[in-house]
Amino acid sequence: MENIAYTPDGWINLRRHTVARIALGRAGGSLPTREVLDFSIAHAAARDAVHAELDAEALRAKLAALELPILLLATAAPDRLTYLHRPDLGRRLDEASRETLKRARDSATETDVAILVGDGLSAPAAAAQAPAVLARLVPELRRRGLKRAPICIVRQARVAVEDEVGSLLGAKAAIILLGERPGLGANDSLGAYLVFGPRPGRTDAERNCVSNIRPAGLSPDAAAETIAYLVTESIRRRLSGVQLKDERNHGRLA
């Protein structure tokens, strides 16, 4: 069999600056075997992340140091397969979770912020990144004088479930941290979504998103600072989404 020589790409030096698939080179008219295998491994890792189940008890143990009550909730999607086939069920709670939140609100004072952690499309991302973000975010919200509801860990969660949770807790704003749809080579990315005046029916245009929270992306500290700024401005200005921008560097040169 004829050996086909590997031909490097002229931009190969740029690879040290990014995990993106650039400058892969070629072997004849095809990708090198190494790159094909790396792609297959990344694809398998992404599929595993999508199908993984969230260990809510283990996550609750990691969050115990935050010294906030923690509630374990679930959406109307009874299992992972249903969750993937029926996105609408992941946007609303099951009846037991609604009752849990009603009891929690009865014993709570006025709340500024409801904080949720959900598996989303990558339970490993939520388990790995959310504790580090909240370790910085919760004290910062406390420093800013914002009253926090119990932290809600929600299994089989979509972004919009924060609307129902925030509404049942009577919160002025809601934040959900959940695993983002895995990319090829980025199966551990966490997203944070903020909405002011949470209630069922809110649209994506009414949310702010802080994405790509992971070691190779936006650091937990930087993400927490951004989220704290956005939620503070959201409550002060009584809005969120396309009307709310991160203006901390407004007027400065990058």
Side-chain angles (χ1 to χ4, degrees):
M1 180 180 293
E2 180 183 359
N3 290 324
I4 301 176
Y6 165 68
T7 303
D9 189 282
W11 298 97
I12 194 169
N13 288 335
L14 294 178
R15 295 192 67 171
R16 69 177 183 271
H17 300 295
T18 178
V19 295
R21 283 185 167 75
I22 63 170
L24 302 182
R26 60 186 175 84
S30 305
L31 287 173
T33 301
R34 179 183 61 204
E35 301 297 344
V36 173
L37 294 176
D38 284 348
F39 184 93
S40 298
I41 291 170
H43 185 251
R47 287 177 57 88
D48 287 347
V50 167
H51 289 279
E53 295 280 355
L54 178 66
D55 188 337
E57 289 290 353
L59 181 56
R60 177 159 65 176
K62 290 181 180 180
L63 301 180
L66 298 175
E67 299 181 346
L68 282 175
I70 299 174
L71 305 177
L72 300 185
L73 309 176
T75 68
D79 52 57
R80 198 65 182 165
L81 186 60
T82 304
Y83 168 82
L84 294 173
H85 289 173
R86 290 283 307 275
D88 58 309
L89 297 182
R91 299 184 183 113
R92 62 179 188 265
L93 297 170
D94 65 11
E95 190 56 40
S97 296
R98 290 192 189 97
E99 292 302 317
T100 296
L101 290 179
K102 290 175 183 177
R103 290 193 298 270
R105 182 175 183 179
D106 289 342
S107 61
T109 58
E110 182 182 15
T111 298
D112 291 314
V113 185
I115 301 174
L116 298 74
V117 180
D119 40 14
L121 288 170
S122 176
Q129 319 305 347
V133 173
L134 292 178
R136 175 67 180 268
L137 177 61
V138 169
E140 180 60 21
L141 296 178
R142 184 181 295 121
R143 187 187 70 80
R144 292 169 181 246
L146 297 178
K147 298 176 182 177
R148 301 150 315 280
I151 293 176
C152 298
I153 299 175
V154 189
R155 296 180 68 249
Q156 317 298 8
R158 299 278 178 175
V159 171
V161 76
E162 69 175 349
D163 300 338
E164 187 175 16
V165 172
S167 177
L168 288 171
L169 288 173
K172 296 176 183 176
I175 302 165
I176 185 168
L177 308 177
L178 83 171
E180 296 183 309
R181 179 180 290 105
L184 293 174
N187 65 323
D188 60 347
S189 181
L190 185 77
Y193 296 82
L194 161 71
V195 66
F196 178 78
R199 62 179 184 273
R202 285 298 199 188
T203 69
D204 288 343
E206 295 172 302
R207 306 183 203 280
N208 292 85
C209 176
V210 180
S211 64
N212 196 33
I213 305 169
R214 62 192 184 101
L218 185 66
S219 73
D221 283 356
E225 290 176 5
T226 300
I227 296 165
Y229 166 82
L230 288 172
V231 73
T232 301
E233 288 299 296
S234 176
I235 292 173
R236 182 179 71 84
R237 298 168 58 184
R238 302 183 59 81
L239 50 80
S240 60
V242 295
Q243 294 178 301
L244 179 63
K245 307 297 182 185
D246 186 346
E247 299 175 340
R248 289 174 296 172
N249 295 319
H250 182 69
R252 300 180 186 177
L253 295 176

